[in-house]
Amino acid sequence: MGCFEEVTQEGPETNQYNDERSICLHAFSDLSHVPPATFIYLLKDYYVYGTNKATSKFKILLQLVRAALHNAPQPGPFTYAVQCMYIVPLLGKTYSEGFSHMLTSSLKHLKSVESVRKDFLEAKHLAAQLALDILDTVVPHENRILVKLLETFEIELRDMAHALYGSELDDDLVKAREHIRHYVKCFMESESNAIAVALITRFSIQCCDESFLIKLIESNQLEIAEECATFMGKEMICLVIQKYLDMKMLKNANKLVKEHDLTEKFPDVSFLYKESLVKKLAEKGCWDIAEVRAKKETKLMEYLVYLAMEAGYMEKVDELCQRYSLQGYADSLVPEKVFCGSDYLDLKKLSAEEIVWVDEINGLYNATSYIEACKIIGMDCEWRPNFEKNSKPNKVSIIQIASDKIAFIFDLIKLYEDEPKVLDSCFRRIMCSSNILKLGYDIQCDLHQLTQSYGELECFQSYEMLLDVQKLFKGVTGGLSGLSKEILGLSLNKARRNSNWEQRPLSQNQKEYAALDAVVLVHIFHEHIQRQPQFGVSEGCKAEWKSHVVSRVQSSACKPVRF
């Protein structure tokens, strides 16, 4: 039975059980004398007694059914499968949809087998009758199964006419179409739009208009809307594209323009889509990828320069202008009008006093001593982005630890290479201190990255008094920048998020960006506490911040450490 475990305990009951399993296996190897009802019972029996997880059992059973349908089911595999689908609903909803999906999926590879072609053609009439019985709710199958049945058996209007009237004459085809139109209207009224459109397109039912398409789009049923519009013709496809443009859904609009060769009618859509893609990448700080996307078009590269200037990322502006000879374009812009620094929070607005770069042993000792004297610190880390799909992330380059006034930026790469033991002992004193509240944003992600990068160090394996600030503000979107906007009134400029954090020395802008991400956490926490009528109660969930503080202590990692 493959991955389905057999019972092996000894005893008369067990022997009988195993005999029954043997009978099951024998029955599956030859379906010539196995009625559909027995086959369905055996499927259920196999499924119930299988010990794998549901998904694995389903995959194993699917292979079994595919093989079984080759083993002489009478009168043929397609007819046999339809007869099974009449019986499957009797098992109840737990099995009905899964087993029906299994049966129809198992038939696909049999369509090309010439020896069963006759059975396929004859089974179409029986499948059409089953489809009508499902539509009339005589046989209780889900709409998804009805669609799959229609597709698997390639049921056409003449098959439905034959099932309804025993004839495929023109008059009967007209009556059959009208009969199906009645079902379509009922589905549309009940907003079962997927099955309605499936029937419309398969049987050429003319009963939808612009308002129906717009309704589908506004309810985000985009695939169904596009399928329906394609059936209705180019005029309706153009309507959908225009609707997408009105809703700023440029990716969807561009896809339809390409698929239906409508560039002449919508000449600007491709550029607008590329422009929006470059903007999204820039907003995420993915400047290198945005540059690759814009490389072949001067207008897009100019737009990228504008976005860099708008973000205040002047070193990127200079870099792009030099690389693509765009200094003339940059000079035509007025930086003061493009970029307004007051739109973003910076260290000066937080009255932060100093950024301290730490890349040698004495600096590490001094920073550790200062941090140990703090009650609350903010923590963050940065690493060079890796844009290759499925590639291993780069090593964490720096970790920032800050009070509300001073930010230390530790060069982890150099400190680890020079003094790994001292680095480990200093950071254990910080991470395992129960006297320091350590704030982070999505800090578990950073800790995971740190342990992946420096697994030999114990300091990132254990911690005490760790608080993920985002857990206090579950309703706030936009990451740390959005949280800063919500609590402190100004967002953070994230333009340098994905810059090269392994370059040495880091630019002053990079240092300020990194320091701000740690300092702002302390200010957000203090502001949050001051706003609460009772000390430490967070809005919305009314849970004390202390309830979100976590620790993970390993005795070997958190032993007292002395310099």
Short mmCIF file of all heavy atoms in Angstrom, two decimals, residues 260-306:
data_model
loop_
_atom_site.label_atom_id
_atom_site.label_comp_id
_atom_site.label_asym_id
_atom_site.label_seq_id
_atom_site.Cartn_x
_atom_site.Cartn_y
_atom_site.Cartn_z
N HIS A 260 -3.65 40.54 -26.11
CA HIS A 260 -4.63 40.75 -27.18
C HIS A 260 -4.14 41.73 -28.25
O HIS A 260 -4.94 42.20 -29.07
CB HIS A 260 -5.95 41.22 -26.58
CG HIS A 260 -6.56 40.23 -25.64
ND1 HIS A 260 -7.29 39.14 -26.07
CD2 HIS A 260 -6.52 40.13 -24.28
CE1 HIS A 260 -7.70 38.44 -25.03
NE2 HIS A 260 -7.25 39.01 -23.92
N ASP A 261 -2.82 42.01 -28.25
CA ASP A 261 -2.21 42.83 -29.29
C ASP A 261 -2.95 44.16 -29.47
O ASP A 261 -3.38 44.51 -30.58
CB ASP A 261 -2.18 42.04 -30.61
CG ASP A 261 -1.24 42.67 -31.63
OD1 ASP A 261 -0.34 43.43 -31.20
OD2 ASP A 261 -1.42 42.43 -32.83
N LEU A 262 -3.06 44.90 -28.37
CA LEU A 262 -3.81 46.16 -28.40
C LEU A 262 -2.90 47.37 -28.14
O LEU A 262 -3.33 48.40 -27.66
CB LEU A 262 -4.93 46.12 -27.34
CG LEU A 262 -6.07 45.15 -27.63
CD1 LEU A 262 -6.95 44.99 -26.40
CD2 LEU A 262 -6.90 45.61 -28.82
N THR A 263 -1.62 47.23 -28.52
CA THR A 263 -0.66 48.31 -28.28
C THR A 263 -1.03 49.59 -29.01
O THR A 263 -0.86 50.69 -28.49
CB THR A 263 0.76 47.86 -28.70
OG1 THR A 263 1.08 46.65 -28.01
CG2 THR A 263 1.79 48.91 -28.34
N GLU A 264 -1.55 49.46 -30.24
CA GLU A 264 -1.94 50.65 -31.01
C GLU A 264 -3.04 51.43 -30.31
O GLU A 264 -3.04 52.66 -30.33
CB GLU A 264 -2.39 50.25 -32.42
CG GLU A 264 -1.24 49.85 -33.33
CD GLU A 264 -1.71 49.65 -34.76
OE1 GLU A 264 -2.84 50.10 -35.09
OE2 GLU A 264 -0.95 49.06 -35.55
N LYS A 265 -3.95 50.72 -29.69
CA LYS A 265 -5.06 51.39 -29.00
C LYS A 265 -4.63 51.95 -27.65
O LYS A 265 -5.16 52.97 -27.18
CB LYS A 265 -6.23 50.41 -28.82
CG LYS A 265 -7.52 51.10 -28.39
CD LYS A 265 -8.71 50.18 -28.56
CE LYS A 265 -10.01 50.88 -28.19
NZ LYS A 265 -10.33 52.02 -29.09
N PHE A 266 -3.66 51.29 -27.01
CA PHE A 266 -3.17 51.74 -25.70
C PHE A 266 -1.64 51.87 -25.76
O PHE A 266 -0.91 51.08 -25.16
CB PHE A 266 -3.57 50.75 -24.61
CG PHE A 266 -5.05 50.59 -24.43
CD1 PHE A 266 -5.75 49.57 -25.06
CD2 PHE A 266 -5.76 51.47 -23.61
CE1 PHE A 266 -7.12 49.42 -24.88
CE2 PHE A 266 -7.12 51.33 -23.43
CZ PHE A 266 -7.81 50.31 -24.07
N PRO A 267 -1.12 52.88 -26.48
CA PRO A 267 0.33 52.97 -26.72
C PRO A 267 1.16 53.30 -25.47
O PRO A 267 2.36 53.00 -25.44
CB PRO A 267 0.43 54.11 -27.75
CG PRO A 267 -0.80 54.93 -27.55
CD PRO A 267 -1.86 53.97 -27.13
N ASP A 268 0.57 53.90 -24.46
CA ASP A 268 1.34 54.35 -23.29
C ASP A 268 1.36 53.35 -22.14
O ASP A 268 2.08 53.55 -21.16
CB ASP A 268 0.77 55.67 -22.76
CG ASP A 268 0.84 56.78 -23.81
OD1 ASP A 268 1.80 56.76 -24.61
OD2 ASP A 268 -0.06 57.63 -23.83
N VAL A 269 0.57 52.30 -22.25
CA VAL A 269 0.40 51.39 -21.11
C VAL A 269 1.71 50.70 -20.73
O VAL A 269 2.06 50.61 -19.54
CB VAL A 269 -0.70 50.35 -21.39
CG1 VAL A 269 -0.68 49.24 -20.34
CG2 VAL A 269 -2.06 51.01 -21.41
N SER A 270 2.46 50.25 -21.72
CA SER A 270 3.70 49.54 -21.44
C SER A 270 4.68 50.42 -20.66
O SER A 270 5.27 49.99 -19.66
CB SER A 270 4.34 49.06 -22.74
OG SER A 270 5.57 48.41 -22.48
N PHE A 271 4.85 51.67 -21.11
CA PHE A 271 5.77 52.58 -20.41
C PHE A 271 5.27 52.91 -19.01
O PHE A 271 6.06 52.94 -18.06
CB PHE A 271 5.96 53.87 -21.21
CG PHE A 271 6.90 54.84 -20.55
CD1 PHE A 271 8.27 54.67 -20.62
CD2 PHE A 271 6.40 55.91 -19.80
CE1 PHE A 271 9.14 55.54 -19.98
CE2 PHE A 271 7.26 56.78 -19.16
CZ PHE A 271 8.63 56.61 -19.26
N LEU A 272 3.98 53.16 -18.88
CA LEU A 272 3.42 53.48 -17.56
C LEU A 272 3.64 52.33 -16.58
O LEU A 272 3.94 52.55 -15.40
CB LEU A 272 1.92 53.79 -17.68
CG LEU A 272 1.56 55.11 -18.37
CD1 LEU A 272 0.05 55.19 -18.60
CD2 LEU A 272 2.02 56.30 -17.54
N TYR A 273 3.50 51.10 -17.08
CA TYR A 273 3.71 49.93 -16.22
C TYR A 273 5.18 49.84 -15.80
O TYR A 273 5.50 49.62 -14.62
CB TYR A 273 3.30 48.66 -16.94
CG TYR A 273 3.73 47.40 -16.23
CD1 TYR A 273 3.28 47.13 -14.94
CD2 TYR A 273 4.61 46.49 -16.83
CE1 TYR A 273 3.69 45.99 -14.26
CE2 TYR A 273 5.01 45.36 -16.16
CZ TYR A 273 4.56 45.11 -14.87
OH TYR A 273 4.98 43.99 -14.22
N LYS A 274 6.09 50.02 -16.75
CA LYS A 274 7.52 49.98 -16.42
C LYS A 274 7.88 51.08 -15.43
O LYS A 274 8.66 50.88 -14.49
CB LYS A 274 8.36 50.13 -17.69
CG LYS A 274 8.28 48.94 -18.64
CD LYS A 274 9.04 49.23 -19.92
CE LYS A 274 8.88 48.10 -20.93
NZ LYS A 274 9.54 48.44 -22.21
N GLU A 275 7.30 52.25 -15.63
CA GLU A 275 7.55 53.38 -14.74
C GLU A 275 7.07 53.07 -13.31
O GLU A 275 7.77 53.34 -12.33
CB GLU A 275 6.82 54.61 -15.28
CG GLU A 275 7.23 55.92 -14.64
CD GLU A 275 6.52 57.11 -15.27
OE1 GLU A 275 5.27 57.18 -15.14
OE2 GLU A 275 7.19 57.95 -15.88
N SER A 276 5.88 52.46 -13.21
CA SER A 276 5.35 52.11 -11.89
C SER A 276 6.20 51.04 -11.22
O SER A 276 6.39 51.05 -10.00
CB SER A 276 3.90 51.63 -12.00
OG SER A 276 3.81 50.36 -12.62
N LEU A 277 6.74 50.12 -12.03
CA LEU A 277 7.59 49.06 -11.49
C LEU A 277 8.89 49.63 -10.94
O LEU A 277 9.34 49.26 -9.85
CB LEU A 277 7.87 48.02 -12.58
CG LEU A 277 8.64 46.76 -12.16
CD1 LEU A 277 7.88 46.01 -11.09
CD2 LEU A 277 8.89 45.87 -13.37
N VAL A 278 9.49 50.56 -11.70
CA VAL A 278 10.72 51.22 -11.25
C VAL A 278 10.46 51.98 -9.95
O VAL A 278 11.27 51.94 -9.01
CB VAL A 278 11.24 52.16 -12.35
CG1 VAL A 278 12.32 53.09 -11.80
CG2 VAL A 278 11.80 51.36 -13.52
N LYS A 279 9.32 52.64 -9.87
CA LYS A 279 8.98 53.39 -8.66
C LYS A 279 8.82 52.47 -7.46
O LYS A 279 9.31 52.76 -6.35
CB LYS A 279 7.70 54.19 -8.88
CG LYS A 279 7.36 55.09 -7.69
CD LYS A 279 6.14 55.95 -7.94
CE LYS A 279 5.86 56.87 -6.76
NZ LYS A 279 4.68 57.71 -6.98
N LYS A 280 8.13 51.34 -7.64
CA LYS A 280 7.94 50.40 -6.54
C LYS A 280 9.28 49.86 -6.05
O LYS A 280 9.50 49.73 -4.84
CB LYS A 280 7.04 49.25 -6.97
CG LYS A 280 5.57 49.61 -7.07
CD LYS A 280 4.74 48.44 -7.55
CE LYS A 280 3.27 48.83 -7.71
NZ LYS A 280 2.46 47.71 -8.26
N LEU A 281 10.17 49.55 -6.98
CA LEU A 281 11.48 49.03 -6.60
C LEU A 281 12.28 50.09 -5.84
O LEU A 281 12.94 49.80 -4.84
CB LEU A 281 12.25 48.59 -7.85
CG LEU A 281 11.72 47.32 -8.53
CD1 LEU A 281 12.35 47.15 -9.90
CD2 LEU A 281 11.98 46.09 -7.67
N ALA A 282 12.19 51.34 -6.30
CA ALA A 282 12.89 52.44 -5.62
C ALA A 282 12.34 52.65 -4.22
O ALA A 282 13.10 52.87 -3.27
CB ALA A 282 12.77 53.71 -6.45
N GLU A 283 11.03 52.57 -4.08
CA GLU A 283 10.41 52.75 -2.77
C GLU A 283 10.83 51.66 -1.79
O GLU A 283 10.90 51.88 -0.58
CB GLU A 283 8.88 52.78 -2.91
CG GLU A 283 8.36 54.07 -3.53
CD GLU A 283 6.88 54.02 -3.84
OE1 GLU A 283 6.31 52.89 -3.83
OE2 GLU A 283 6.28 55.07 -4.10
N LYS A 284 11.13 50.47 -2.32
CA LYS A 284 11.59 49.37 -1.48
C LYS A 284 13.10 49.43 -1.24
O LYS A 284 13.65 48.60 -0.53
CB LYS A 284 11.25 48.03 -2.13
CG LYS A 284 9.77 47.73 -2.17
CD LYS A 284 9.51 46.41 -2.89
CE LYS A 284 8.03 46.08 -2.94
NZ LYS A 284 7.75 44.83 -3.69
N GLY A 285 13.75 50.41 -1.87
CA GLY A 285 15.20 50.53 -1.72
C GLY A 285 15.97 49.60 -2.63
O GLY A 285 17.18 49.44 -2.47
N CYS A 286 15.31 48.99 -3.61
CA CYS A 286 15.97 48.05 -4.52
C CYS A 286 16.47 48.81 -5.75
O CYS A 286 16.03 48.58 -6.89
CB CYS A 286 15.00 46.94 -4.93
SG CYS A 286 14.36 45.97 -3.56
N TRP A 287 17.42 49.72 -5.53
CA TRP A 287 17.90 50.61 -6.60
C TRP A 287 18.63 49.85 -7.69
O TRP A 287 18.52 50.20 -8.88
CB TRP A 287 18.80 51.68 -6.01
CG TRP A 287 18.07 52.58 -5.06
CD1 TRP A 287 18.00 52.47 -3.70
CD2 TRP A 287 17.26 53.71 -5.40
NE1 TRP A 287 17.20 53.46 -3.17
CE2 TRP A 287 16.73 54.24 -4.20
CE3 TRP A 287 16.92 54.33 -6.60
CZ2 TRP A 287 15.91 55.35 -4.17
CZ3 TRP A 287 16.11 55.44 -6.57
CH2 TRP A 287 15.60 55.95 -5.38
N ASP A 288 19.39 48.83 -7.34
CA ASP A 288 20.14 48.07 -8.35
C ASP A 288 19.20 47.36 -9.31
O ASP A 288 19.43 47.34 -10.53
CB ASP A 288 21.07 47.05 -7.69
CG ASP A 288 22.19 47.73 -6.91
OD1 ASP A 288 22.43 48.93 -7.17
OD2 ASP A 288 22.82 47.07 -6.07
N ILE A 289 18.14 46.76 -8.77
CA ILE A 289 17.16 46.07 -9.63
C ILE A 289 16.42 47.09 -10.49
O ILE A 289 16.18 46.87 -11.68
CB ILE A 289 16.17 45.25 -8.79
CG1 ILE A 289 16.90 44.19 -7.97
CG2 ILE A 289 15.14 44.58 -9.68
CD1 ILE A 289 16.01 43.37 -7.08
N ALA A 290 16.06 48.24 -9.87
CA ALA A 290 15.36 49.30 -10.62
C ALA A 290 16.24 49.78 -11.78
O ALA A 290 15.75 50.03 -12.89
CB ALA A 290 15.02 50.45 -9.69
N GLU A 291 17.54 49.88 -11.53
CA GLU A 291 18.46 50.31 -12.58
C GLU A 291 18.49 49.32 -13.73
O GLU A 291 18.49 49.69 -14.91
CB GLU A 291 19.86 50.49 -11.99
CG GLU A 291 20.89 51.01 -12.96
CD GLU A 291 22.26 51.15 -12.33
OE1 GLU A 291 22.34 51.24 -11.08
OE2 GLU A 291 23.25 51.18 -13.09
N VAL A 292 18.51 48.03 -13.41
CA VAL A 292 18.51 47.00 -14.45
C VAL A 292 17.23 47.09 -15.29
O VAL A 292 17.26 46.98 -16.52
CB VAL A 292 18.65 45.59 -13.81
CG1 VAL A 292 18.41 44.51 -14.86
CG2 VAL A 292 20.02 45.43 -13.20
N ARG A 293 16.09 47.30 -14.61
CA ARG A 293 14.81 47.39 -15.32
C ARG A 293 14.75 48.62 -16.22
O ARG A 293 14.07 48.62 -17.24
CB ARG A 293 13.66 47.42 -14.32
CG ARG A 293 13.48 46.15 -13.50
CD ARG A 293 13.05 44.99 -14.38
NE ARG A 293 12.99 43.75 -13.64
CZ ARG A 293 11.90 43.29 -13.04
NH1 ARG A 293 10.79 43.99 -13.09
NH2 ARG A 293 11.92 42.14 -12.40
N ALA A 294 15.43 49.70 -15.81
CA ALA A 294 15.34 50.97 -16.55
C ALA A 294 16.44 51.12 -17.61
O ALA A 294 16.38 52.03 -18.43
CB ALA A 294 15.42 52.13 -15.57
N LYS A 295 17.39 50.23 -17.62
CA LYS A 295 18.64 50.40 -18.37
C LYS A 295 18.45 50.71 -19.85
O LYS A 295 19.15 51.54 -20.42
CB LYS A 295 19.49 49.14 -18.22
CG LYS A 295 20.98 49.41 -18.19
CD LYS A 295 21.72 48.17 -17.72
CE LYS A 295 23.14 48.48 -17.35
NZ LYS A 295 23.84 47.33 -16.79
N LYS A 296 17.52 50.08 -20.49
CA LYS A 296 17.40 50.18 -21.94
C LYS A 296 16.62 51.41 -22.41
O LYS A 296 16.53 51.66 -23.60
CB LYS A 296 16.74 48.90 -22.50
CG LYS A 296 17.59 47.66 -22.30
CD LYS A 296 16.90 46.43 -22.86
CE LYS A 296 17.74 45.18 -22.65
NZ LYS A 296 17.07 43.96 -23.17
N GLU A 297 16.00 52.13 -21.48
CA GLU A 297 15.17 53.26 -21.88
C GLU A 297 15.62 54.52 -21.13
O GLU A 297 15.55 54.59 -19.90
CB GLU A 297 13.70 52.97 -21.60
CG GLU A 297 13.17 51.79 -22.39
CD GLU A 297 11.66 51.62 -22.24
OE1 GLU A 297 10.95 52.64 -22.28
OE2 GLU A 297 11.22 50.46 -22.08
N THR A 298 16.03 55.53 -21.91
CA THR A 298 16.54 56.77 -21.32
C THR A 298 15.51 57.44 -20.42
O THR A 298 15.83 57.93 -19.34
CB THR A 298 16.97 57.75 -22.44
OG1 THR A 298 17.94 57.11 -23.26
CG2 THR A 298 17.55 59.02 -21.86
N LYS A 299 14.25 57.46 -20.86
CA LYS A 299 13.20 58.12 -20.08
C LYS A 299 13.02 57.45 -18.72
O LYS A 299 12.80 58.12 -17.71
CB LYS A 299 11.87 58.09 -20.85
CG LYS A 299 11.79 59.04 -22.02
CD LYS A 299 11.75 60.48 -21.53
CE LYS A 299 11.62 61.46 -22.68
NZ LYS A 299 11.69 62.87 -22.21
N LEU A 300 13.13 56.12 -18.69
CA LEU A 300 13.00 55.41 -17.41
C LEU A 300 14.21 55.70 -16.51
O LEU A 300 14.06 55.85 -15.29
CB LEU A 300 12.89 53.90 -17.65
CG LEU A 300 11.54 53.39 -18.15
CD1 LEU A 300 11.62 51.89 -18.41
CD2 LEU A 300 10.43 53.67 -17.14
N MET A 301 15.40 55.80 -17.11
CA MET A 301 16.59 56.09 -16.31
C MET A 301 16.50 57.50 -15.75
O MET A 301 16.89 57.76 -14.59
CB MET A 301 17.84 55.93 -17.16
CG MET A 301 19.11 55.87 -16.35
SD MET A 301 19.14 54.51 -15.15
CE MET A 301 19.30 53.11 -16.25
N GLU A 302 16.00 58.44 -16.53
CA GLU A 302 15.79 59.79 -16.03
C GLU A 302 14.80 59.80 -14.87
O GLU A 302 14.98 60.52 -13.88
CB GLU A 302 15.29 60.70 -17.16
CG GLU A 302 16.34 61.01 -18.21
CD GLU A 302 15.81 61.84 -19.35
OE1 GLU A 302 14.55 62.00 -19.45
OE2 GLU A 302 16.61 62.33 -20.17
N TYR A 303 13.77 58.99 -15.00
CA TYR A 303 12.77 58.90 -13.93
C TYR A 303 13.40 58.34 -12.66
O TYR A 303 13.10 58.79 -11.54
CB TYR A 303 11.60 58.03 -14.39
CG TYR A 303 10.48 57.91 -13.39
CD1 TYR A 303 9.82 59.03 -12.91
CD2 TYR A 303 10.08 56.66 -12.92
CE1 TYR A 303 8.78 58.93 -12.00
CE2 TYR A 303 9.04 56.54 -12.00
CZ TYR A 303 8.40 57.68 -11.55
OH TYR A 303 7.38 57.57 -10.63
N LEU A 304 14.31 57.38 -12.82
CA LEU A 304 15.00 56.80 -11.66
C LEU A 304 15.87 57.85 -10.98
O LEU A 304 15.95 57.91 -9.74
CB LEU A 304 15.84 55.60 -12.10
CG LEU A 304 16.48 54.77 -10.98
CD1 LEU A 304 15.42 54.22 -10.04
CD2 LEU A 304 17.32 53.64 -11.56
N VAL A 305 16.54 58.69 -11.76
CA VAL A 305 17.32 59.80 -11.21
C VAL A 305 16.41 60.73 -10.40
O VAL A 305 16.75 61.15 -9.30
CB VAL A 305 18.04 60.59 -12.33
CG1 VAL A 305 18.65 61.88 -11.79
CG2 VAL A 305 19.12 59.73 -12.97
N TYR A 306 15.26 61.03 -10.98
CA TYR A 306 14.29 61.89 -10.28
C TYR A 306 13.87 61.27 -8.94
O TYR A 306 13.81 61.95 -7.91
CB TYR A 306 13.06 62.11 -11.15
CG TYR A 306 11.95 62.87 -10.47
CD1 TYR A 306 11.92 64.26 -10.45
CD2 TYR A 306 10.92 62.18 -9.82
CE1 TYR A 306 10.91 64.96 -9.80
CE2 TYR A 306 9.90 62.87 -9.16
CZ TYR A 306 9.91 64.25 -9.16
OH TYR A 306 8.90 64.94 -8.50
#
